[in-house]
Amino acid sequence: MYGRKNKEKVEIIQYRNVKKYTAGKITIYRIPVESFPSHVTNVYLIINSRPFLVDTGLENEKARQDLDEGFQIIQSVFQENVRLEDVEDVVITHGHIDHFGMIGNEKFKRKNLYIHKEDSEIIRNYDERTDYALARVDSFLKTAGVSALFREGIINLYRSDKKKFKPKNLGHHIIDLRDNDKIIDGYRVYHTPGHCPGAICLEVGDFIFTGDHLLSRITPHQSPGFIMRGTGLRLYLNSLNRIFWLSLQKDLYGLPGHEEDIYPVADRVDEIKRFHEQRLRDIEKIYKEGKSIFEITVEYFNSFQPEIFSQPNYPDYNKLLAILEIAAHVEYLEEEGRLRVKP
């Protein structure tokens, strides 16, 4: 177990669903918004010399209501004189719609959007990039051993999910981020690809915003690098190691894009690394020459989460995530020369 000094510096107060963090001159509010049913995104309001947001949640009625109610609590209970309309800067941790989709709301008109250059095109050319990703996933599924009917159903689900964000021209100023950039009040950007090509962590005083790079309960989803450059388990583990050493040097308090706070950060990194190491060993054990990705996926999850493939040919989004997750691990094992899957 790693150091716990920083936790003593962070004062935490919660009222209803809004959580206030204070350390030194920095105050942060966490507002949970429901981007999808039972899928909550943490939106953060940071107040120092100028207020800014980290992530937005998805644009839908429930998420808008959650965000508005959060700001009302911040104003009435915590006595902060700040409205969403007053916030000029929004930092987006990565290019997934549950983290940036709210920018389609009129209240985000003409705001500065900070996003890593590897993900900024998803905002500039959303439909084009989505179509490209869809084609790559479809091409992969054709070789993964799934039936044509299952593949068609999965692709339709994937397309439907991506269409939940409607791009609008609201005069946003998009600022491309790079690794080690300092933004706003000198806060440092760390490029942490793996879960997403442009994933970043942001160091703000004694805190680090981890987006989906590091979560407190689940292990962030992985996709193979051959589908999308900037993803893949090897990249993700390398990025994890970077945050591990950073957290040891600075003893940072982790604020993730979903779920609860992370502290000590290095302990959670260790847990996630051990999880992936075990998953790699489990896949090696069930692998036999000639098995397809789909066959390996079904066999693996039938041992650990049998409910996912209780109806193996019925398409649902969790099955797609499971197939991509196993493919990312198989890709890593192939790179290491530990197994070979039939094409």
Side-chain angles (χ1 to χ4, degrees):
M1 183 172 292
Y2 301 97
R4 291 183 175 273
K5 293 180 182 178
N6 198 5
K7 196 166 188 178
E8 298 170 3
K9 301 185 215 171
V10 178
E11 180 186 353
I12 301 175
I13 303 171
Q14 184 161 352
Y15 180 82
R16 292 172 59 182
N17 64 340
V18 175
K19 207 168 183 180
K20 177 183 178 181
Y21 309 83
T22 306
K25 297 180 180 179
I26 294 171
T27 297
I28 298 170
Y29 294 94
R30 187 187 76 183
I31 308 170
V33 306
E34 191 169 358
S35 292
F36 299 105
S38 301
H39 180 86
V40 173
T41 303
N42 293 329
V43 176
Y44 295 96
L45 171 67
I46 296 86
I47 297 177
N48 193 0
S49 66
R50 67 197 243 208
F52 69 98
L53 289 180
V54 171
D55 288 337
T56 70
L58 184 60
E59 161 72 342
N60 61 52
E61 184 176 354
K62 182 62 169 67
R64 286 195 303 272
Q65 178 183 337
D66 290 342
L67 191 59
D68 287 342
E69 289 178 355
F71 267 85
Q72 288 169 13
I73 289 171
I74 291 168
Q75 293 160 10
S76 62
V77 176
F78 295 107
Q79 299 294 298
E80 298 281 5
N81 184 25
V82 59
R83 303 176 305 156
L84 177 58
E85 292 86 344
D86 301 326
V87 177
E88 297 180 357
D89 302 307
V90 180
V91 179
I92 298 167
T93 59
H94 61 291
H96 289 165
I97 58 174
D98 57 325
H99 291 263
F100 73 82
M102 189 79 78
I103 64 169
N105 185 284
E106 286 289 330
K107 290 183 179 180
F108 284 81
K109 193 172 185 177
R110 289 190 291 274
K111 293 194 186 303
N112 301 319
L113 306 180
Y114 296 80
I115 183 169
H116 194 273
K117 65 184 183 66
E118 294 294 334
D119 278 358
S120 60
E121 281 302 305
I122 197 71
I123 294 177
R124 290 187 174 98
N125 298 294
Y126 182 78
D127 290 334
E128 178 184 322
R129 289 299 299 268
T130 299
D131 288 344
Y132 172 78
L134 192 69
R136 296 290 294 168
V137 171
D138 189 36
S139 176
F140 158 67
L141 290 176
K142 288 177 182 177
T143 67
V146 305
S147 69
L149 187 63
F150 179 86
R151 177 175 58 82
E152 182 180 353
I154 285 285
I155 289 299
N156 287 337
L157 284 172
Y158 187 89
R159 182 181 291 110
S160 175
D161 179 73
K162 299 303 179 187
K163 295 302 179 184
K164 289 177 181 175
F165 173 68
K166 306 292 184 186
K168 295 180 183 177
N169 183 4
L170 295 178
H172 300 122
H173 179 210
I174 300 173
I175 300 164
D176 289 330
L177 299 178
R178 289 167 173 78
D179 189 38
N180 284 318
D181 276 355
K182 288 188 176 181
I183 61 173
I184 305 177
D185 283 329
Y187 305 132
R188 189 175 293 278
V189 172
Y190 298 95
H191 184 208
T192 52
H195 173 72
C196 195
I200 65 165
C201 293
L202 181 69
E203 181 186 350
V204 176
D206 292 312
F207 302 92
I208 186 161
F209 295 92
T210 64
D212 282 4
H213 181 58
L214 200 63
L215 301 175
S216 64
R217 184 178 57 83
I218 67 170
T219 54
H221 179 257
Q222 303 301 311
S223 294
F226 60 77
I227 290 181
M228 184 68 66
R229 182 177 59 86
T231 63
L233 185 58
R234 184 178 300 280
L235 265 180
Y236 176 71
L237 293 175
N238 288 342
S239 295
L240 266 188
N241 284 332
R242 185 179 189 194
I243 298 305
F244 175 86
W245 291 112
L246 176 68
S247 69
L248 285 185
Q249 292 166 6
K250 300 194 175 184
D251 194 25
L252 300 171
Y253 192 90
L255 297 175
H258 309 279
E259 304 175 356
E260 294 304 317
D261 311 347
I262 302 170
Y263 191 80
V265 169
D267 283 6
R268 182 56 183 149
V269 171
D270 271 350
E271 291 172 358
I272 292 176
K273 288 168 65 176
R274 286 197 299 270
F275 172 87
H276 285 295
E277 288 163 5
Q278 184 61 54
R279 177 164 279 179
L280 290 166
R281 289 194 294 269
D282 291 336
I283 290 172
E284 281 185 292
K285 287 177 184 176
I286 66 174
Y287 169 75
K288 290 181 181 177
E289 189 172 353
K291 280 188 178 180
S292 68
I293 292 289
F294 183 68
E295 290 169 330
I296 294 171
T297 303
V298 172
E299 187 169 343
Y300 175 87
F301 280 96
N302 279 346
S303 299
F304 297 94
Q305 293 175 272
E307 68 278 4
I308 293 180
F309 286 95
S310 58
Q311 296 177 288
N313 293 314
Y314 180 80
D316 69 59
Y317 202 67
N318 284 332
K319 289 190 179 71
L320 174 61
L321 295 179
I323 293 167
L324 292 171
E325 178 80 19
I326 296 304
H329 286 74
V330 167
E331 177 184 60
Y332 183 92
L333 290 168
E334 288 185 293
E335 290 170 350
E336 293 288 298
R338 289 159 63 177
L339 61 79
R340 184 179 180 187
V341 178
K342 71 178 182 180

